[in-house]
Amino acid sequence: PTTFCGGESVTFTPQSGYNVYTWTRNGFFLSNTSEITVSTAGTYVLSVQDANGCSATSAGVGVVVNPAPNASV
């Protein structure tokens, strides 16, 4: 999985050239943009469709967000 601390994010950028992009997180619709920046834990999946109507779905990418430490003086 992709792991980072709370308050940070990661950007997923797929190959270009598709007509339709559909991102889901944990099975729920998230976005129709080609690129997404996420800061929430979960499993992200991309489905694409080309100009011929052919489609493909990626394997899930896990995102783990660790709590950020709280520094106090």
Side-chain angles (χ1 to χ4, degrees), residues 2-4 10 16 27 37-40 59:
T2 299
T3 303
F4 52 88
V10 63
S16 61
T37 300
V38 302
S39 58
T40 304

Side-chain angles (χ1 to χ4, degrees), residues 5-51:
C5 294
E8 298 176 351
S9 62
V10 63
T11 299
F12 294 122
T13 306
Q15 282 182 303
S16 61
Y18 297 105
N19 288 15
V20 178
Y21 296 83
T22 304
W23 289 96
T24 61
R25 181 181 68 231
N26 300 335
F28 294 95
F29 173 78
L30 184 63
S31 176
N32 281 114
T33 59
S34 61
E35 179 179 280
I36 60 169
T37 300
V38 302
S39 58
T40 304
T43 301
Y44 292 81
V45 174
L46 171 65
S47 296
V48 295
Q49 186 177 56
D50 66 15

